[in-house]
Amino acid sequence: MMVFTCLSIFTVLYSQNYTPGQIDNALIIKSENLRIRGQKKELISLNEKYITISKNQNYLKGEILGYINIANIYATIGDYKNSFYYLHKAEKKIKKINNAYLSAKLYQEYGQVNYVIGLYIKALKYNAQSIYYGKMISNHDEKEILSGIYANRADFLHNIHQDDSSLIYLHKALKIKSSPVINSLIADHYMVYKKNMDSSSYYLNNALKLLQKMNYWNIQRGQTYYYYGNFLNKNKEPEKALLYYEKSIAILEKTKRVYNIPLLYKTISSTYGELNNEEKEKEYLEKYTKLKDSLSRTCNESINTSIDEIIREKESENISKKNIFLVYNIVVFCLIVILLFVYIHYQKNKNIIKQKEFETDVLRERLNNSYDCIIDLAKKNDPNFLNKFQEAYPDFVKKMLTINSNLSKSDLSFCAMIWLGFSSKEIAQYTFVEHRSVQNKKNRLRKKLNISSDVDLYFFFKSLSDE
């Protein structure tokens, strides 16, 4: 009898017709309320329910929104692999619908996830796409998403030391929607970079006033209390600052905002250091190290998918090329004339294209402040070296795989070190092998890449970058 009752409830629940407005309300407003309170299980359950309803009613927008919302909560708790999984599901579906709001939201999430795992250039790229679609939104309520997108960009720019640009985007975000966190970020900027405590106090007071209208246990309060603690610290009130740091931790833990907590631990440790409390300083430093290491391991797993995806794409391209070759054999002679015309036109524009590519590369180099970090990772023989190198110089890895798609990650790391200018002696030193082994590996690499012995590998690799 009980089983029959449960089945009846389930049937009624999912056979009931919902209007698009009801589904949107659940996935945008109700889901957001659960998100800011960090109620992971309830949020996932709600979104899974409305994903099923949307599928049954062929409401594609609802299905996509559900995937994006679940991706967001997984990223919030540090499960980046699952976050990418649901974003990929949303991306496949979004190609079937023309909706600027969904596209803006999807690329905003992609930007945030790439940012928290340390891929800042990728994060900025996705954020630019999000802004592009955000500006196309016509619905006034939906257009408010631009506030969060601009705030994200400010955060990303801050991490590549473009602080003036960061402040510009924070004010853009504030103009669209004033929130406690945006006010707090502006306050922190004025305190740290402008040394203007009056302006900092003004924006923090705005943030605290806005919090009065909100539930206590929400992400905005947790983040605002952290910045208020920094303000108190700057005003030589460390004991009072510690109270707000502790409140911030309690809120962020309850709302599952895991990746914000390591910085708090580190800040608390430094504050106890200033108070000469060595025991507490050590306690929070250990907490910081433990949580930071745990999140770093998770980040590295997510970053590793970057190289794997490129290799899979290259394998797929090779299969496609074989199929295209078969099709070309069927093409009649008259198409050759058309191809010749296209080729002549292409040659005329080749110099312009090369100039644009060069300008793009220069811009990318300016944004990419990770060169010294890459060199340092190589010297430490860090397993994350290739991931960071590939993020900074993606074209080089793609060109190497074009020459030989069977190159291993070890081969690519070795090529990267040569490209960076490391000598055989240095490579032997940093990778803990004999000098003779490095020479042997170079000889094997020449065979794999079909490079003659009279060609210098360094200049060969550099020439690939110039193409």
Side-chain angles (χ1 to χ4, degrees), residues 103-161:
S103 296
K105 194 171 179 65
L106 174 68
Y107 289 119
Q108 180 190 24
E109 290 301 329
Y110 263 129
Q112 286 179 292
V113 180
N114 277 280
Y115 166 71
V116 295
I117 65 175
L119 301 179
Y120 302 134
I121 305 303
K122 258 190 174 180
L124 281 164
K125 173 189 168 187
Y126 281 121
N127 182 263
Q129 290 176 279
S130 186
I131 290 173
Y132 170 79
Y133 286 108
K135 288 180 177 179
M136 293 170 63
I137 298 171
S138 55
N139 182 287
H140 178 268
D141 292 334
E142 289 182 344
K143 205 172 185 71
E144 281 191 354
I145 193 176
L146 264 174
S147 178
I149 296 168
Y150 285 143
N152 290 154
R153 191 165 191 82
D155 217 7
F156 304 165
L157 290 168
H158 170 72
N159 273 276
I160 59 170
H161 311 296

Side-chain angles (χ1 to χ4, degrees), residues 289-304:
T289 304
K290 186 177 179 181
L291 184 55
K292 186 71 175 175
D293 288 346
S294 172
L295 290 175
S296 293
R297 284 193 296 273
T298 309
C299 285
N300 287 338
E301 287 177 11
S302 300
I303 295 171
N304 281 334

Side-chain angles (χ1 to χ4, degrees), residues 15 19 106 117 162 176 240 277 302 337-338 389 410 432:
S15 61
T19 66
L106 174 68
I117 65 175
Q162 294 191 22
I176 295 171
K240 195 173 179 183
N277 188 332
S302 300
V337 178
I338 297 171
F389 178 87
S410 174
F432 310 107

Side-chain angles (χ1 to χ4, degrees), residues 288-321:
Y288 163 75
T289 304
K290 186 177 179 181
L291 184 55
K292 186 71 175 175
D293 288 346
S294 172
L295 290 175
S296 293
R297 284 193 296 273
T298 309
C299 285
N300 287 338
E301 287 177 11
S302 300
I303 295 171
N304 281 334
T305 61
S306 181
I307 293 289
D308 294 334
E309 282 177 9
I310 289 177
I311 293 172
R312 282 196 298 270
E313 285 172 10
K314 186 52 62 179
E315 289 171 350
S316 178
E317 283 176 18
N318 290 337
I319 293 169
S320 297
K321 285 176 183 177

Side-chain angles (χ1 to χ4, degrees), residues 73-100:
I73 195 66
Y74 274 123
T76 299
I77 63 173
D79 188 347
Y80 307 120
K81 191 171 284 187
N82 259 324
S83 181
F84 276 119
Y85 170 76
Y86 279 97
L87 287 177
H88 289 325
K89 291 189 77 164
E91 191 172 26
K92 286 179 183 177
K93 296 287 182 179
I94 212 166
K95 294 173 183 177
K96 302 175 183 178
I97 188 172
N98 182 21
N99 188 299

